[in-house]
């Protein structure tokens, strides 16, 4: 049902900001957590942040806490990831994702990427020194 399109990546200098968007096309998000993950070359996919579509409960990975902010725009069926104070180590492909809405209904914290079944195509974020 949910088709995810993520966007907003680009090249930015260290200390700069970037805003990523994840849009559900054609329908609203179900009652699940919408997650952001990233994967850098040679590294495992890493949990970045998540927000529950209904309750708005947010979670952040330790490495981005206090720098990134995840939010939702109900009117646009969009989840955003505002990234501030970017560091070169933030360089990665960022993807949004949703889990099975039946299996994980009501779950607000899903940091494991294998729990997600529906993924955006990914958007590249590059932070230069």
């Amino acid at each position: 049902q949910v088709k995810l399109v993520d966007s907003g990546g680009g090249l930015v200098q260290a200390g700069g900001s970037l805003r990523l968007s994840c849009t559900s096309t054609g329908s609203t998000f179900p009652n699940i957590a919408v997650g952001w993950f990233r994967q850098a070359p040679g590294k495992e996919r890493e949990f970045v942040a998540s927000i529950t579509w209904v309750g708005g409960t947010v979670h952040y990975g330790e490495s981005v806490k206090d720098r990134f902010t995840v939010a939702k725009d109900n009117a646009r069926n969009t989840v955003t990831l505002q990234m501030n104070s970017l560091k070169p180590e933030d360089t990665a492909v960022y993807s949004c994702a949703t889990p099975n809405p039946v299996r994980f209904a009501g779950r607000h914290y899903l940091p494991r990427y294998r729990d997600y079944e529906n993924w955006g195509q990914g958007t590249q974020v590059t932070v230069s020194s």
Side-chain angles (χ1 to χ4, degrees), residues 49-106:
S50 67
I51 184 169
T52 58
W53 186 247
V54 175
T57 303
V58 300
H59 294 277
Y60 297 98
E62 186 65 29
S63 63
V64 306
K65 191 175 181 64
D66 299 324
R67 296 189 298 120
F68 291 10
T69 302
V70 64
K72 59 188 179 75
D73 184 337
N74 296 301
R76 297 178 59 232
N77 289 324
T78 296
V79 171
T80 61
L81 183 68
Q82 178 66 44
M83 305 183 295
N84 298 325
S85 302
L86 284 163
K87 307 173 181 179
E89 49 263 46
D90 294 319
T91 295
V93 175
Y94 287 70
S95 304
C96 65
T98 57
N100 186 291
V102 176
R103 291 181 61 193
F104 296 101

Side-chain angles (χ1 to χ4, degrees), residues 12-29:
V12 64
Q13 291 185 332
S17 298
L18 213 55
R19 180 180 294 141
L20 307 183
S21 295
C22 174
T23 298
S24 173
T25 61
S27 64
T28 188
F29 286 98

Side-chain angles (χ1 to χ4, degrees), residues 37-40 43-47 93 95 113 119:
F37 292 83
R38 67 185 184 185
Q39 187 166 29
K43 293 185 177 294
E44 282 289 324
R45 196 182 303 270
E46 177 187 18
F47 174 77
V93 175
S95 304
Y113 74 88
W119 292 82

